[in-house]
Amino acid sequence: MVARVRDGEGKPKTLHVTYLREDGHKADVGVTRKVLSKVGNSPAIRLFDIELGVLHVAEGIETTLGAKRHCDRNKAPGGFWSLMNAGSMMQFQPPPE
């Protein structure tokens, strides 16, 4: 799985790679995830655009997608961004919108 990482200004910075098996589980390799270069300030994987001024953030891609699924079932609007790790979550600055 490959995802684009953007900085706090929305500029593309690098790629986040997760190695998966065909069944969707993490691959049986030494390192299953990696970021290909520096991520910049307030990095995020913007999976779904901000909607109605609402933004949901979570740590990993899988958790973010789970939150999206839950909100969709409950008809709750919002964008969904993965912040990739706990350190990024602590430093995250939401966009000024």
Side-chain angles (χ1 to χ4, degrees), residues 46-57 77-81 92 94-97:
R46 300 179 178 197
L47 297 170
F48 298 91
D49 292 334
I50 296 173
E51 181 182 346
L52 300 175
V54 177
L55 174 62
H56 304 272
V57 297
F80 292 82
W81 296 1
F92 178 68
E97 305 176 8

Side-chain angles (χ1 to χ4, degrees), residues 17-54:
V17 179
T18 304
Y19 297 98
L20 302 172
R21 300 186 319 217
E22 287 184 30
D23 65 3
H25 290 89
K26 290 197 171 69
D28 191 16
V29 296
V31 177
T32 58
R33 294 179 215 174
K34 67 179 170 180
V35 176
L36 301 183
S37 64
K38 293 185 180 185
V39 294
N41 295 323
S42 203
I45 298 169
R46 300 179 178 197
L47 297 170
F48 298 91
D49 292 334
I50 296 173
E51 181 182 346
L52 300 175
V54 177

